[in-house]
Amino acid sequence: MGKSTCTGGKIISFGTVNFLMDNAPSEKLSQHKTFEIYEGPKKVADVFII
């Protein structure tokens, strides 16, 4: 389980990100430092890979 903190009114969580399918392009995770997560049309998170 990741660690969460609240900073400036935003929740910051540390965790692990992976694709759900084995044949997904996992190299994309190392090529991009940031991406956004959407639930339908609503943006719900910014992901920063460290």
Side-chain angles (χ1 to χ4, degrees):
M1 182 72 62
K3 177 180 132 181
S4 294
T5 61
C6 186
T7 303
K10 295 187 177 196
I11 298 171
I12 299 173
S13 298
F14 297 89
T16 304
V17 63
N18 290 303
F19 287 107
L20 296 176
M21 298 178 63
D22 291 336
N23 61 348
S26 59
E27 67 276 359
K28 296 267 186 199
L29 294 177
S30 61
Q31 291 175 354
H32 300 284
K33 301 290 183 204
T34 66
F35 59 92
E36 300 167 337
I37 295 179
Y38 285 82
E39 289 181 358
K42 183 180 177 187
K43 181 175 144 182
V44 296
D46 289 306
V47 177
F48 300 92
I49 298 175
I50 56 174

